[in-house]
Amino acid sequence: MSSVGHSAFLQVAFDRLATPEFIDFVRQWKIDLDEVESLKETSAEIQALSDEAEVKQFTNVRVKLWLDRLKQVLYDAEDILDEYATEVLRLKLESAHQTQQVRNPLPLTPLSISIVSSLLNSGIGHQVYNIIEELHGKVRDINERLKSVAHKGVDLGLSPSMGSGSSRARVFSQRPPTSSLVIRSKVFGIEEDMWSIVGWLLSDKTSSLNNNNNNFSVLAIVAMGGAGKTTLAQLVYNDDRVEQYFGLKAWVCVSEDFDVVRLTKEILESATGSSPDSDSLDVLQVKLKEALSKKRFLLVLDDMWNENYLKWDALSTPFAFGKPGSKILVTTRNKSVSSIVRTVPKDHDLKGLSDEACFALVRRHAFMDENSFDANTKLEVFGQQIVKKCKGSPLAVKTLAGLLRDKRENSEWKDILENEIWDLRESEILPSLMLSYYHLPPLLKRCFAYCALFPKDYIFNKIELVLLWMAEGIVQPKGRKRLEDIGAEYFDELFMRSFFELSDLLPHNQVSPFVLPRFGYTPREKLFYDLSKELHIRSFFESSNNIGSGFVMHDLIHDLAQVVSGGLYCRREYDKPSEILTTIRHLSYHIDNVVVTESEALKSSRTILDLKYYNYHNKQFLPTMQFHFQFQFLRVLCLRNCRNGELCDSIGKLKHLRFLDLSFSDIVRLPNSIRSLYNLQTLVLTGCWRLREFPEDMGNLINLRHLFLPVAWPRTDSWDSYEMPLGVCKDSYKVPLIVCKDSYKMPLGVGNLTSLQTLSTYVVRSKNSSELRDLSQQLRGTLNIFNLESVGNNETQAMVGNLKNMPHLLGLLLHWSHYESEDSFLDLGRDEKVEEDVLDQLQPPTNLETLWIVNYGGTRFPSWIEHPSFSNLETVHLIGCRKCRFLPHLSQLPLLKYLVIEGCNATKMVGSELHGDGSSLTNKQFRSLETLRIGMMEEWEEWPEVVEEGGGQFPCLRKLYIFDCPKLRMFSHHFPGLMELEIESCDELRELARLLPSLQQLHLE
């Protein structure tokens, strides 16, 4: 295990001070960094002390207090280093503004010596030196404090030599060895798991993922500590059928020390019954080969921690000489271990015990006579409390039952069950689970401790946690890899190590700008939001599993997080009014106005996290405190569902802030001071329907990566003619999803945000249309561009070709404002040719999956929309394109599944216009299309069938909807797989499709 210890705590801050941009600026201003270098050295000296203290804190109160003090000083040190880097960044931006006098501050551009000299003369140079000198003093002070803590640690007996290796303290690292013996009558609730594994053991097939022709197969049983992995392995090992099937069996407890010589010797001893006297690996492996040769063997490797493939490969070499059908069963807490040993496609994931099994286990271990009246009475009174407390963990159940065994009074049972499970006398739970924690790398320990902010049974979202970890500075840069992907690796590693489990439920916080209101939306709007959310989630990480899934922590794992995070993390809930200590650095709450009432105790806090997500009916008041007097070290500020619509200007004083979440608040404006949040990474304004005003320019937010704006579905009917504030309903049954002329104005400078990866909405203004060209090429998921009619004739060339250079953009909505007729189109000052040029220039990347074009005023569609390179397009919506006389040729798009054409009033015929020129009729037309919806086509008259050779039209079409087409007279097609046909308000229609062999549902109106 790496022994980086608490030096990792400061690593991200030190990394910021080592970037080429920072070094360049420091050299130009001749800034002395000796104090920072000295702080690095002190941090390196203290790392081994803290690593040992982390183990000893649970048995030595003085060491625990020392470690708590160290953490406080480290937090202060990190804040000062972050302030150092932030001030230099601010000065760099301001100097760039003064020297270049342009809206783009070009913050990373080196300054020439002459420019530096001119700044010195202008006064900013003296400002630089004054600020740097002040920061030097702070760094010097924190360095002295760290040295003092280190000396006290040595006085306590902590030694750098004890920080790693075999000499380290082993308070949690020695688990008692296991044997193969088990008493069947003491085991409950894992019979199905046993039969499943026995069935695998008795199968003749020897599977191999690598096709390496081994004679043995390996299956891993994976679960958290105390879940019963060893017990399950013991059951199958001693099964009578298994005993008869295998000619040789061996059981070895591997534990942490994966010594190939030791393990080979123990396998040989278990298999043969004799103890070899040699320590030569060659001698031992030759003997093991002879023992296994031509025998079908079963080997159990219990409690394996090794993640080194080379060590496993060396140990497993003799196993290949066994008889085909030999099996190896491995138990582990870590899927990274299983991934290097197993030869079958999946692990056996062991779940918790059922309630019935927990009751049976309590009966067996808590009572001399498990069927006595006393047992029945006690379980009737306390049974559910025990089940809730242990959450299916056999170790927890047996620990509780053992403590209750000599207790006869209900009051004694009540006292024990009301204690935290960690405080129980003689409990083996803490050592068992702490072992998993101890094996975590230092950064993952911080990630895990952070989870203590969330309540038990919280359904975690991977995206949410990664963004918070990034904001807290836990995620360390690694080469050119995105921080988001590094954070996803952290999460996946915790999942692999059984700290998280997959949930059947969706996450509590969806972390998406595409969130539907609870009522008042149409099926089309739901489709738009669902598709956009899916693309946002799927593209958020480069490669990571189960991105949109929910994850949970077992209650015991959650309790462990609370233990290791004590003194720094606090969670306030209605039923658990925890005291907020002055040492608290991270706070989450599920009660009203805790920020206002407890603000003094939170002055050093880094995190204020509101867990009341998406609640329309229980809004709280937005705090009105002055942020420059309080909360000045905040990195995460989450104030959801706030009622009063003002955020105070002092928010701009939070120079460390990286994550700001105001979702579902009634906020009307963002103050101009937001522009000073140079470190801000994530700004969440999801569901802020009343938001109307941004700062004029946000180009200084050069670290902004995710901007979640309120996303509204553009209605194309008469709703658009009303110019009413966003958030005001026309009646009590509608939720305002309109984007109208006076909706919020997009700030300038978005084109400068080169780190931006999430931009849910871009509202075009006359001043910012040219910034479409400059949008970050890192944008992901779905981008919705509104008010495209604002692009003037002279600006179309300035928009050339940027969207097509966004390889991670999967969804695109292009929206012009609604118009009723040709006259209204002209009255609005719109021009067909300009809109055609605009759409030509907005060509998206060829990997696009979803495309919506709404209220487009050109007479033709661009050629790119039907180009075969758009082979990933699955969904196309052409809505309100009233002036287009011809539809694009979409029939050869291989993956197109959902096609909607509505309000294209100038189109008279749908036939060759939709299918193409007939040159490719030997191929199936719309080979993947499953749903086709055509409606509100005032001039559409007929839909003739296009005759094809050997192909056939619409082979996969299952649903066809045609509505509000008053002139449509006929359509004659063969739809071999059509199951649902719905036709409404097509009064002239006289002839339907000829053959519908699969039709199950027909609706005519």
Side-chain angles (χ1 to χ4, degrees):
M1 188 192 94
S2 169
S3 61
V4 178
H6 283 80
S7 65
F9 199 99
L10 296 175
Q11 193 58 52
V12 173
F14 283 134
D15 285 346
R16 287 192 70 196
L17 300 179
T19 60
E21 296 81 15
F22 184 90
I23 298 295
D24 171 67
F25 189 82
V26 164
R27 285 173 178 167
Q28 290 169 1
W29 290 95
K30 297 181 175 58
I31 298 172
D32 184 4
L33 285 179
D34 288 347
E35 294 295 341
V36 174
E37 290 300 322
S38 177
L39 182 58
K40 283 186 180 181
E41 293 175 6
T42 306
S43 175
E45 292 171 3
I46 208 168
Q47 65 180 23
L49 299 179
S50 65
D51 197 33
E52 184 193 1
E54 194 165 59
V55 177
K56 286 187 174 181
Q57 64 174 314
F58 298 99
T59 56
N60 188 322
V61 175
R62 294 178 65 201
V63 171
K64 173 71 166 62
L65 293 174
W66 177 88
L67 189 60
D68 289 344
R69 175 60 180 161
L70 172 61
K71 290 178 180 178
Q72 294 293 332
V73 178
L74 287 173
Y75 267 102
D76 291 341
E78 194 175 38
D79 287 337
I80 290 172
L81 289 173
D82 191 61
E83 182 180 1
Y84 206 126
T86 301
E87 283 301 305
V88 171
L89 173 60
R90 180 181 68 81
L91 294 169
K92 192 171 178 67
L93 289 171
E94 290 181 0
S95 64
H97 271 300
Q98 288 198 22
T99 56
Q100 296 166 14
Q101 294 301 311
V102 292
R103 185 164 40 81
N104 181 356
L106 298 177
L108 304 184
T109 302
L111 303 178
S112 68
I113 295 177
S114 62
I115 293 176
V116 172
S117 300
S118 65
L119 289 173
L120 281 170
N121 295 329
S122 69
I124 192 173
H126 299 294
Q127 184 183 1
V128 171
Y129 291 131
N130 289 338
I131 291 175
I132 296 303
E133 185 59 34
E134 179 184 350
L135 288 171
H136 275 171
K138 291 182 179 181
V139 172
R140 192 181 306 116
D141 175 67
I142 205 70
N143 196 16
E144 291 302 318
R145 289 172 62 193
L146 266 180
K147 288 179 180 179
S148 173
V149 172
H151 292 322
K152 291 179 181 178
V154 174
D155 292 342
L156 288 173
L158 299 176
S159 170
S161 63
M162 297 292 288
S164 61
S166 59
S167 63
R168 73 173 186 232
R170 293 182 172 270
V171 176
F172 300 113
S173 58
Q174 286 292 355
R175 178 194 174 191
T178 63
S179 79
S180 62
L181 297 181
V182 67
I183 299 175
R184 180 69 183 84
S185 62
K186 290 185 176 181
V187 181
F188 302 92
I190 56 175
E191 290 80 6
E192 289 186 10
D193 297 279
M194 186 187 74
W195 301 135
S196 174
I197 295 177
V198 167
W200 173 75
L201 291 175
L202 300 181
S203 62
D204 292 328
K205 184 177 180 181
T206 304
S207 57
S208 174
L209 290 177
N210 301 320
N211 296 319
N212 53 11
N213 298 318
N214 278 337
N215 290 333
F216 65 92
S217 295
V218 186
L219 173 67
I221 303 173
V222 183
M224 60 176 277
K229 302 181 295 294
T230 298
T231 302
L232 177 57
Q234 290 167 334
L235 284 179
V236 299
Y237 188 85
N238 290 284
D239 185 81
D240 292 339
R241 293 168 299 169
V242 172
E243 188 78 35
Q244 296 171 8
Y245 185 76
F246 291 99
L248 184 147
K249 294 195 305 176
W251 177 287
V252 172
C253 180
V254 180
S255 197
E256 297 174 84
D257 182 20
F258 197 88
D259 185 310
V260 175
V261 172
R262 175 185 70 84
L263 293 174
T264 303
K265 183 183 289 188
E266 291 187 11
I267 293 170
L268 187 58
E269 183 177 359
S270 179
T272 62
S274 60
S275 179
D277 55 7
S278 174
D279 287 326
S280 165
L281 180 61
D282 179 64
V283 171
L284 292 171
Q285 289 205 331
V286 169
K287 287 185 178 181
L288 183 57
K289 169 191 170 184
E290 294 172 354
L292 299 179
S293 182
K294 298 181 181 180
K295 292 186 179 70
R296 185 162 53 204
F297 68 85
L298 168 62
L299 170 63
V300 173
L301 298 173
D302 187 40
D303 193 29
M304 186 165 165
W305 293 80
N306 172 60
E307 300 179 48
N308 187 318
Y309 176 77
L310 294 179
K311 288 185 177 181
W312 165 250
D313 189 56
L315 177 68
S316 62
T317 299
F319 304 158
F321 296 95
K323 186 178 179 181
S326 296
K327 303 291 170 64
I328 298 175
L329 196 59
V330 173
T331 70
T332 182
R333 308 178 186 198
N334 190 344
K335 285 184 176 291
S336 295
V337 174
S338 70
S339 67
I340 67 170
V341 301
R342 62 178 166 85
T343 62
V344 295
K346 294 182 178 180
D347 302 321
H348 185 93
D349 294 313
L350 184 59
K351 306 301 181 184
L353 297 179
S354 65
D355 292 357
E356 293 76 12
C358 288
F359 284 138
L361 201 57
V362 172
R363 285 181 182 275
R364 183 66 179 80
H365 290 276
F367 302 98
M368 297 292 291
D369 181 0
E370 56 195 82
N371 294 314
S372 66
F373 174 79
D374 185 43
N376 293 332
T377 302
K378 288 287 195 304
L379 287 180
E380 184 175 339
V381 175
F382 298 106
Q384 287 301 323
Q385 193 173 348
I386 294 173
V387 167
K388 182 179 180 181
K389 197 174 190 69
C390 297
K391 279 290 181 75
S393 168
L395 176 60
V397 173
K398 287 193 286 186
T399 299
L400 270 179
L403 293 172
L404 296 170
R405 187 174 178 84
D406 60 347
K407 305 295 186 295
R408 289 292 167 261
E409 300 298 326
N410 281 4
S411 59
E412 295 176 296
W413 279 55
K414 185 173 182 291
D415 288 342
I416 289 176
L417 291 176
E418 286 181 351
N419 273 318
E420 287 296 332
I421 203 161
W422 303 104
D423 298 330
L424 299 177
R425 176 176 52 86
E426 298 176 357
S427 172
E428 296 181 8
I429 301 171
L430 178 60
S432 174
L433 295 184
M434 185 58 74
L435 186 59
S436 294
Y437 172 77
Y438 190 76
H439 274 267
L440 287 176
L443 287 172
L444 292 191
K445 288 179 179 177
R446 287 189 68 184
C447 291
F448 173 65
Y450 198 81
C451 297
L453 286 175
F454 299 88
K456 288 184 178 180
D457 299 321
Y458 186 82
I459 312 297
F460 288 92
N461 185 314
K462 183 186 297 189
I463 296 176
E464 175 185 31
L465 262 187
V466 167
L467 290 177
L468 291 172
W469 289 341
M470 285 169 50
E472 300 289 357
I474 301 174
V475 180
Q476 287 194 11
K478 185 167 60 177
R480 301 185 64 179
K481 183 171 286 190
R482 298 166 62 238
L483 285 177
E484 290 80 2
D485 294 323
I486 298 170
E489 290 177 359
Y490 292 178
F491 188 99
D492 292 341
E493 182 71 14
L494 287 172
F495 174 71
M496 296 279 278
R497 292 171 181 261
S498 302
F499 287 90
F500 288 112
E501 303 171 4
L502 270 174
S503 172
D504 295 331
L505 303 176
L506 289 174
H508 280 123
N509 186 353
Q510 293 292 316
V511 196
S512 170
F514 305 99
V515 177
L516 271 174
R518 297 185 177 181
F519 54 87
Y521 53 83
T522 68
R524 177 194 292 167
E525 292 161 0
K526 186 176 188 306
L527 175 65
F528 167 72
Y529 277 82
D530 289 347
L531 272 176
S532 298
K533 181 192 298 184
E534 177 194 342
L535 297 179
H536 166 75
I537 292 172
R538 184 150 51 84
S539 65
F540 199 87
F541 301 118
E542 199 68 43
S543 59
S544 187
N545 298 322
N546 305 309
I547 300 176
S549 303
F551 296 83
V552 293
M553 273 188 171
H554 191 282
D555 277 8
L556 295 180
I557 296 292
H558 188 276
D559 289 340
L560 175 63
Q562 289 184 280
V563 169
V564 301
S565 66
L568 295 173
Y569 295 79
C570 177
R571 190 178 68 254
R572 298 292 304 272
E573 299 175 77
Y574 285 110
D575 57 340
K576 297 178 181 178
S578 306
E579 181 184 1
I580 298 181
L581 306 175
T582 56
T583 59
I584 292 299
R585 301 287 180 140
H586 307 277
L587 169 73
S588 66
Y589 63 95
H590 204 287
I591 58 180
D592 294 331
N593 297 323
V594 68
V595 181
V596 176
T597 59
E598 309 272 5
S599 58
E600 182 59 31
L602 295 171
K603 61 182 179 181
S604 297
S605 179
R606 286 189 177 191
T607 308
I608 296 179
L609 189 62
D610 178 11
L611 297 177
K612 300 191 301 299
Y613 184 72
Y614 201 55
N615 186 346
Y616 282 113
H617 304 294
N618 189 26
K619 288 184 177 287
Q620 61 180 338
F621 285 101
L622 193 64
T624 57
M625 77 285 288
Q626 295 299 305
F627 287 108
H628 58 289
F629 294 127
Q630 304 156 313
F631 317 118
Q632 57 182 308
F633 300 108
L634 277 179
R635 293 173 178 238
V636 171
L637 178 59
C638 176
L639 300 171
R640 299 175 178 138
N641 303 293
C642 294
R643 265 195 294 217
N644 52 317
E646 289 295 327
L647 188 65
C648 59
D649 287 336
S650 62
I651 187 77
K653 298 294 184 179
L654 301 180
K655 62 178 69 176
H656 302 278
L657 195 66
R658 285 156 168 83
F659 185 98
L660 177 59
D661 184 353
L662 301 170
S663 53
F664 302 102
S665 295
D666 294 338
I667 188 168
V668 175
R669 59 177 288 271
L670 290 179
N672 286 328
S673 61
I674 287 283
R675 297 179 298 178
S676 300
L677 301 178
Y678 305 122
N679 285 314
L680 194 64
Q681 297 173 344
T682 302
L683 176 57
V684 183
L685 301 169
T686 303
C688 296
W689 308 117
R690 296 183 183 273
L691 181 63
R692 308 301 301 281
E693 186 178 339
F694 280 88
E696 180 65 19
D697 192 322
M698 293 176 64
N700 275 357
L701 304 183
I702 61 172
N703 287 305
L704 192 63
R705 306 170 74 88
H706 304 285
L707 178 55
F708 291 11
L709 296 174
V711 177
W713 167 252
R715 295 183 182 271
T716 57
D717 54 23
S718 58
W719 277 67
D720 282 341
S721 63
Y722 289 83
E723 294 189 8
M724 50 195 302
L726 216 61
V728 179
C729 303
K730 289 190 176 182
D731 56 65
S732 58
Y733 305 103
K734 292 286 187 179
V735 168
L737 298 182
I738 40 177
V739 170
C740 50
K741 293 178 183 177
D742 58 350
S743 62
Y744 63 79
K745 295 179 180 179
M746 205 72 185
L748 295 176
V750 175
N752 296 337
L753 309 182
T754 56
S755 299
L756 202 60
Q757 299 173 31
T758 300
L759 178 63
S760 51
T761 301
Y762 189 89
V763 181
V764 179
R765 303 164 52 189
S766 58
K767 292 182 179 180
N768 72 354
S769 58
S770 62
E771 288 193 359
L772 283 171
R773 174 193 57 199
D774 301 320
L775 290 179
S776 168
Q777 295 184 10
Q778 299 186 57
L779 287 181
R780 292 169 174 262
T782 298
L783 173 63
N784 307 296
I785 306 177
F786 294 103
N787 294 355
L788 278 166
E789 72 282 355
S790 297
V791 180
N793 187 33
N794 297 326
E795 298 166 322
T796 56
Q797 293 304 312
M799 298 166 48
V800 172
N802 189 38
L803 292 185
K804 63 184 178 184
N805 296 322
M806 299 177 181
H808 303 289
L809 193 65
L810 302 182
L812 179 63
L813 184 148
L814 302 173
H815 176 259
W816 287 256
S817 292
H818 176 73
Y819 62 95
E820 290 288 349
S821 64
E822 178 71 24
D823 291 339
S824 65
F825 183 81
L826 296 175
D827 291 341
L828 292 170
R830 293 171 61 172
D831 184 285
E832 297 171 358
K833 182 64 170 62
V834 170
E835 300 200 4
E836 290 171 2
D837 290 344
V838 169
L839 190 53
D840 280 338
Q841 299 297 338
L842 291 174
Q843 178 177 340
T846 54
N847 54 287
L848 198 74
E849 296 182 15
T850 299
L851 175 66
W852 304 66
I853 299 177
V854 182
N855 295 336
Y856 167 57
T859 60
R860 61 169 180 83
F861 287 99
S863 58
W864 58 256
I865 195 174
E866 56 193 37
H867 196 277
S869 61
F870 285 87
S871 56
N872 290 326
L873 263 179
E874 296 185 8
T875 301
V876 174
H877 288 243
L878 307 175
I879 301 174
C881 304
R882 295 169 174 268
K883 301 170 75 64
C884 284
R885 295 187 291 271
F886 302 102
L887 298 176
H889 304 154
L890 304 175
S891 62
Q892 292 303 313
L893 296 178
L895 297 182
L896 186 62
K897 295 180 180 179
Y898 197 102
L899 176 59
V900 174
I901 303 169
E902 295 181 9
C904 296
N905 290 339
T907 303
K908 292 187 176 183
M909 180 178 292
V910 175
S912 60
E913 293 84 357
L914 192 60
H915 304 300
D917 58 8
S919 60
S920 302
L921 294 182
T922 56
N923 298 321
K924 290 185 176 181
Q925 305 288 298
F926 295 104
R927 68 189 76 172
S928 301
L929 192 66
E930 297 175 0
T931 300
L932 175 59
R933 182 181 177 92
I934 306 177
M936 294 186 288
M937 306 272 282
E938 295 178 359
E939 302 298 324
W940 184 27
E941 297 177 353
E942 56 182 296
W943 184 10
E945 182 175 19
V946 178
V947 180
E948 304 174 7
E949 298 177 7
Q953 295 180 353
F954 307 105
C956 296
L957 191 66
R958 299 293 179 264
K959 300 178 181 179
L960 174 61
Y961 305 100
I962 302 175
F963 61 98
D964 291 332
C965 299
K967 296 184 180 181
L968 179 62
R969 299 191 304 271
M970 56 85 71
F971 69 95
S972 54
H973 287 72
H974 175 210
F975 298 115
L978 191 67
M979 302 175 69
E980 295 182 24
L981 174 60
E982 184 172 327
I983 301 175
E984 293 185 9
S985 302
C986 299
D987 298 338
E988 296 297 318
L989 186 61
R990 297 292 180 264
E991 182 179 346
L992 295 178
R994 293 180 287 110
L995 294 172
L996 302 172
S998 304
L999 193 66
Q1000 297 180 5
Q1001 183 174 329
L1002 175 64
H1003 178 79
L1004 301 176
E1005 183 177 321

